[in-house]
Amino acid sequence: IGSNGFFSYYAGAYQVFNHAGDIVRKGYSENPDGVYRIPRFWRWSYVANGTKRIAEVAAAPDDVLSFEEGAGDILQADYTLGPNFMRNSYHHHTIRTTLTRNIARCLPEIQDEIVASFNDLLPLENSDWMAFKVLPSVIRVVARSSNRVFVGLPLCENQEFLNVSIAYAGAILKRGQLISLFPPFLRPIIGPLVSPKRKALKGGMKFLGPLIESRLAKEAEFGHDWPDKPNDFLSWLLEDAEGAEREPSALALRVLGTNIAATHTTSMALTNVIFDLTTYPSHIEPMRKEAEEMIRNNGWTKAALNNMHKIDSFIRESQRVNGSSPISMARKVVAKEGFVFSDGTVIPYGSFLNVSGRFVQHDSANYDHPEVFDGFRFSCLREKQAHEHDEGIFRRHLISTGPDHLPFGHGKHACPGRRFFAATGLKTMVAHLLLNYDIKADDEGVRPPDHSFGLVRTPNPTAKIWIRKRQ
Ligand code: HEM
Ligand SMILES: *[C@@H]1O[C@H](CO)[C@@H](O)[C@H](O)[C@H]1NC(C)=O
Ligand SMILES: *[C@@H]1O[C@H](CO)[C@@H](O)[C@H](O)[C@H]1NC(C)=O
Ligand SMILES: CC(=O)N[C@H]1CO[C@H](CO)[C@@H](O)[C@@H]1O
């Protein structure tokens, strides 16, 4: 799609860069259950349409479809994160196991940091409305509160450290795409020059270096379970890191890399939620009531959050409607015989394969009235299913993935951080916002337009809303 000859291939790649959404939509509607390919700079991207094929892509083993190579290509990870980072991604295991197990225990700290971050950002007086630039503000809340768990106090509140981490996360996506514009043989030369890694690591080591050194020293002196060992992600990483990965600079890179996976994704999700709250404000009161009731019954606990079904549903609906780029789940075919779909379609060795992300979430085969934003779509379904003792009840929670719901991907590489920060952090932030502030749109009824950069779609980075103390 978007190209039919050699020269138009390059014109096509340029078109995809500028009109990605329209082109992928065309592919989706012209190829029911098919596979199509779109021209990118220097290569094709194959895209699998339809839930059946998406499920097959999600289930493929790593030695057939590689997540590391696919995602690594988008980020140009060899240059932007260094060659070891993706190839030995042991930190995914730490996130999936220890970090996830510690959610309930960490919740009071996360909540404390969220409250403090909002207080610092919003010097509100009386009943005055203040303009609130959403994305740049929530990014600071997210970075601070996730670093409370990653590296603890006082570093999580150090603005210079947070700036290094936020800047690296922002730069990596842009520089990765920039490096991709060069032909592969030039990348080993251009890559290191354009990569933000050196600068970020230098800035990060200023703070993380001494912290890591002191923990390594304690461990050398007192053994693995030294007294007063902090219970944070850095400690858990140290438990899993081996060999060269125990070097302070390698550990610092893991902490920064985890920040990259966590910060922008979570901030964009929260920004979308806030735009949806101000665009569809009738949802606010029912969610406030729910949050108040749950906190009254359980305090600020994991149990309270688990019972906030309306908030859970609203965030999931926000992700469904505007939370996925046109294509998602980047994979590279690494099996010599290619990747073979169950109908015999072969995607050849070495090619890049994605699935149509946004459009399965807007397909009337998968959702009733998919173009309608219905914040309580999933909580209503949940009530109905609970009533009917239907097993489907577990498939529509915020953290449930499916071939028709891809904001966190699907299958074995589905985001390992979603239990930790999506279910816990995002819900805490939304509940805190609703309980303590009034918000309204800058332009009533208008959702600030998304931004597109190539195939990446993000909520509007400069749009504002209005906020005041809850009256
Ligand atoms: C709302 C917030 C988030 C969203 C929307 C999100 C989304 C995603 C998506 C789409 C993927 C790729 C899945 C695939 O290709 O199949 C992914 C992977 C990943 N995410 Fe998240 N993420 C979020 C938060 C986080 C957080 C907070 C962390 C860390 C604590 C994290 C760590 C990771 C890691 C390490 C991977 C790689 C997974 C693997 O290789 O198996 N994410 N995420
Ligand atoms: C961090 O970045 C923010 C926003 O860009 C800026 O206002 C602040 O001065 C920076 N702080 C430090 C210590 O670099
Ligand atoms: C969000 O998605 C809906 C449904 O496709 C679309 O109409 C709307 O324009 C999107 N919002 C933005 C801000 O792009
Ligand atoms: C299975 C599936 O969802 N396939 C879809 C591919 O695209 C067309 C056009 O939008 C849909 O009608 C199909 O349902």
Side-chain angles (χ1 to χ4, degrees):
I1 298 170
S3 154
N4 44 25
F6 180 76
F7 287 104
S8 67
Y9 172 89
Y10 291 99
Y14 190 73
Q15 285 274 332
V16 168
F17 202 78
N18 285 307
H19 304 284
D22 296 339
I23 288 174
V24 180
R25 182 181 302 114
K26 187 159 174 265
Y28 193 83
S29 55
E30 288 176 2
N31 301 271
D33 306 318
V35 185
Y36 55 94
R37 57 179 194 174
I38 50 179
R40 311 288 294 275
F41 292 99
W42 312 108
R43 63 173 177 84
W44 295 93
S45 275
Y46 289 81
V47 183
N49 175 25
T51 50
K52 185 162 173 289
R53 283 188 197 276
I54 292 175
E56 290 182 24
V57 171
D62 283 340
D63 55 2
V64 176
L65 289 182
S66 165
F67 170 88
E68 262 84 34
E69 301 275 336
D73 183 75
I74 291 183
L75 301 173
Q76 288 293 311
D78 280 348
Y79 308 112
T80 55
L81 284 159
N84 275 339
F85 193 84
M86 287 297 250
R87 304 238 153 76
N88 176 6
S89 48
Y90 75 93
H91 65 295
H92 295 183
H93 172 80
T94 315
I95 294 171
R96 197 170 283 122
T97 57
T98 331
L99 181 66
T100 304
R101 269 202 307 273
N102 276 282
I103 295 172
R105 201 198 49 74
C106 291
L107 186 59
E109 290 160 47
I110 297 173
Q111 198 231 342
D112 177 62
E113 206 59 47
I114 288 171
V115 174
S117 316
F118 272 109
N119 286 347
D120 286 358
L121 274 174
L122 297 167
L124 297 173
E125 302 276 349
N126 311 320
S127 61
D128 298 346
W129 289 97
M130 175 183 155
F132 186 65
K133 260 199 188 178
V134 184
L135 187 60
S137 310
V138 302
I139 217 166
R140 305 207 75 83
V141 179
V142 170
R144 239 176 101 164
S145 51
S146 43
N147 276 292
R148 176 78 178 254
V149 181
F150 295 162
V151 295
L153 282 168
L155 189 51
C156 69
E157 293 183 349
N158 180 315
Q159 295 300 322
E160 197 183 333
F161 170 69
L162 294 180
N163 283 3
V164 168
S165 151
I166 293 170
Y168 191 19
I172 219 162
L173 299 171
K174 296 202 180 94
R175 303 283 175 86
Q177 289 215 29
L178 180 61
I179 297 169
S180 303
L181 297 181
F182 288 90
F185 73 93
L186 279 180
R187 290 180 197 162
I189 300 161
I190 304 290
L193 297 175
V194 173
S195 169
K197 179 179 161 228
R198 192 197 307 254
K199 187 173 166 214
L201 197 55
K202 186 160 171 268
M205 276 299 276
K206 182 173 161 194
F207 305 101
L208 290 167
L211 186 67
I212 294 168
E213 301 273 9
S214 85
R215 297 212 188 167
L216 286 170
K218 287 258 176 51
E219 197 179 298
E221 195 177 347
F222 303 109
H224 276 295
D225 286 313
W226 47 279
D228 298 325
K229 179 165 122 172
N231 216 348
D232 61 21
F233 182 66
L234 179 56
S235 289
W236 306 326
L237 266 184
L238 265 163
E239 286 165 11
D240 292 344
E242 286 171 357
E245 290 297 334
R246 296 180 65 80
E247 294 291 324
S249 62
L251 286 159
L253 191 62
R254 289 293 152 182
V255 171
L256 293 171
T258 307
N259 265 287
I260 289 167
T263 314
H264 282 249
T265 46
T266 310
S267 310
M268 290 194 288
L270 181 57
T271 300
N272 274 322
V273 167
I274 292 175
F275 288 153
D276 288 327
L277 284 168
T278 52
T279 310
Y280 311 103
S282 63
H283 292 82
I284 290 179
E285 271 320 306
M287 288 199 281
R288 269 182 177 159
K289 278 217 185 72
E290 176 185 79
E292 269 161 357
E293 188 191 328
M294 296 311 155
I295 291 165
R296 200 179 322 113
N297 296 344
N298 301 286
W300 273 102
T301 56
K302 191 81 180 69
L305 293 176
N306 287 346
N307 285 323
M308 294 180 192
H309 296 178
K310 289 197 171 80
I311 292 182
D312 196 279
S313 170
F314 190 92
I315 301 174
R316 184 177 173 91
E317 176 72 346
S318 172
Q319 286 192 306
R320 179 189 74 82
V321 177
N322 294 88
S324 287
S325 286
I327 62 175
S328 47
M329 286 174 63
R331 301 289 184 268
K332 187 175 182 181
V333 183
V334 291
K336 285 278 184 293
E337 61 284 7
F339 173 67
V340 188
F341 283 102
S342 60
D343 67 347
T345 309
V346 180
I347 309 299
Y349 171 71
S351 34
F352 292 88
L353 176 63
N354 302 267
V355 305
S356 43
R358 185 178 168 80
F359 301 103
V360 275
Q361 294 162 205
H362 288 272
D363 189 332
S364 54
N366 301 328
Y367 296 91
D368 292 340
H369 307 295
E371 296 310 316
V372 174
F373 184 98
D374 173 1
F376 302 144
R377 178 188 290 274
F378 301 110
S379 48
C380 290
L381 190 68
R382 190 163 169 165
E383 269 170 35
K384 191 166 152 268
Q385 288 173 331
H387 197 66
E388 295 164 0
H389 303 285
D390 181 337
E391 298 238 322
I393 188 164
F394 299 113
R395 283 183 223 126
R396 302 290 184 172
H397 295 183
L398 174 52
I399 58 168
S400 332
T401 68
D404 57 358
H405 188 81
L406 300 166
F408 293 116
H410 179 52
K412 69 187 279 209
H413 290 289
C415 177
R418 70 190 192 282
R419 286 165 203 284
F420 162 60
F421 230 69
T424 311
L426 265 179
K427 282 169 91 171
T428 307
M429 288 186 256
V430 173
H432 175 73
L433 189 73
L434 292 172
L435 292 178
N436 296 284
Y437 303 97
D438 288 331
I439 54 177
K440 66 174 184 187
D442 185 34
D443 197 353
E444 202 183 322
V446 180
R447 197 181 189 285
D450 283 352
H451 272 210
S452 284
F453 183 74
L455 283 163
V456 181
R457 201 184 157 113
T458 65
N460 195 303
T462 52
K464 64 172 189 284
I465 60 153
W466 293 92
I467 192 161
R468 69 173 178 190
K469 276 194 207 155
R470 187 173 168 195
Q471 299 297 303

